[in-house]
Amino acid sequence: VETFASAKELLERMENQNFELLFLDIHMPQMDGVDLGKMLKERVDAPEIIFVSSNTERVFETFAIHPFGFVRKNKFLDDIHEVISRYVETMEKETRGTNLVHFKEGQGTITLNAEKIVYIECYRNVQTVHVDGQEEVVRLYSRMETLEQELRPFHFLRIHKGYLVSCRYVKRFDGKSVSLITGETLPVGRQKRQAAMDEYMDFVRENGGYVGNSGNTLENYKKSYLH
């Protein structure tokens, strides 16, 4: 969750970061929320917008933007509960059968696109999730065994007691390490080596010899395996 004091700050941030949902005030300096909403809706990756304002007479101006909802400041707790519940329900319907995976985190849930997860690294009781195209890591407080089971349908390998890696991002897999298309190299644990290699070969076969963006083929894999 990020906050911004002006439309300019938000637009600058959106040059490098996409957002799924925006809460916009209507009265803001330089550019008000309605004008900002119109601009954002022209984007290919337009986020959902919920207006938060005490200026209810301007609600009709927002209709052209097709906002997801409107929260009145004088009825904030009632309105925010209703609109967030509706948003979560809508997202759950849209994401059933997709590549989104939901991790329990305390009393809430963290949702990530499994195809964008490069690898997960564990240190003590903290799991650090490295996401493709995202500088900031996501931290979970779970167990690697639990995450391994949750990510199994998405072709993740347990290459080490402290690492889970996506097959889609593997460039080279030899006996001691895994090289990723991101340029990183991860260690392969001796006890995990054989099972991880077998699972990776199955993934390569199922995907017709194509792996992620690396261009690996089954023959390349065999060479790495023999190496």
Side-chain angles (χ1 to χ4, degrees):
V1 177
E2 299 185 35
T3 59
F4 304 91
S6 69
K8 180 182 178 182
E9 290 182 17
L10 172 63
L11 292 171
E12 289 177 350
R13 177 64 171 139
M14 289 183 72
E15 292 178 2
N16 301 305
Q17 176 67 49
N18 293 331
F19 295 104
E20 296 178 0
L21 178 64
L22 294 179
F23 292 88
L24 293 184
D25 203 339
I26 288 182
H27 289 295
M28 295 190 296
Q30 298 175 340
M31 181 186 298
D32 71 12
V34 177
D35 291 336
L36 175 59
K38 291 177 180 177
M39 179 182 296
L40 293 175
K41 281 300 181 179
E42 295 177 357
R43 296 170 60 106
V44 175
D45 56 348
E48 291 286 3
I49 293 174
I50 294 174
F51 285 102
V52 183
S53 180
S54 56
N55 196 350
T56 54
E57 63 268 21
R58 296 194 65 185
V59 171
F60 294 103
E61 293 182 46
T62 70
F63 287 175
I65 303 169
H66 302 291
F68 190 85
F70 194 98
V71 175
R72 299 165 293 179
K73 289 184 178 179
N74 60 341
K75 298 286 185 180
F76 184 83
L77 293 180
D78 292 335
D79 289 356
I80 198 72
H81 175 76
E82 185 277 329
V83 76
I84 288 296
S85 297
R86 184 160 49 86
Y87 178 76
V88 171
E89 182 180 349
T90 301
M91 289 297 294
E92 287 178 346
K93 290 179 180 178
E94 291 180 354
T95 58
R96 284 194 189 105
T98 67
N99 294 313
L100 295 189
V101 59
H102 309 281
F103 300 106
K104 290 183 179 180
E105 182 58 26
Q107 299 298 316
T109 302
I110 294 177
T111 301
L112 296 172
N113 185 339
E115 290 194 352
K116 291 292 185 179
I117 298 175
V118 182
Y119 68 96
I120 299 177
E121 181 179 10
C122 180
Y123 180 71
R124 294 183 178 177
N125 297 322
V126 181
Q127 292 79 43
T128 303
V129 185
H130 298 258
V131 182
D132 189 16
Q134 184 173 311
E135 293 184 6
E136 297 180 3
V137 297
V138 177
R139 287 182 172 82
L140 303 174
Y141 299 87
S142 181
R143 298 174 66 249
M144 288 294 276
E145 288 74 19
T146 301
L147 299 180
E148 184 178 3
Q149 289 299 317
E150 292 177 340
L151 291 169
R152 186 171 296 279
F154 303 102
H155 305 290
F156 276 75
L157 302 174
R158 185 73 180 274
I159 62 170
H160 188 280
K161 65 179 181 180
Y163 289 97
L164 267 170
V165 62
S166 172
C167 287
R168 300 176 183 276
Y169 288 87
V170 174
K171 181 178 182 180
R172 182 181 178 84
F173 195 155
D174 60 37
K176 296 182 180 180
S177 65
V178 168
S179 300
L180 307 180
I181 61 176
T182 58
E184 298 165 280
T185 300
L186 305 179
V188 175
R190 182 179 300 176
Q191 295 181 347
K192 303 290 185 181
R193 184 182 305 161
Q194 189 61 54
M197 282 186 169
D198 291 342
E199 288 185 41
Y200 183 69
M201 180 171 277
D202 289 340
F203 173 78
V204 174
R205 289 198 187 99
E206 291 172 8
N207 287 271
Y210 179 78
V211 183
N213 299 316
S214 65
N216 271 4
T217 64
L218 186 56
E219 289 304 315
N220 289 339
Y221 169 74
K222 290 177 179 177
K223 292 177 183 177
S224 298
Y225 182 90
L226 293 173
H227 176 76

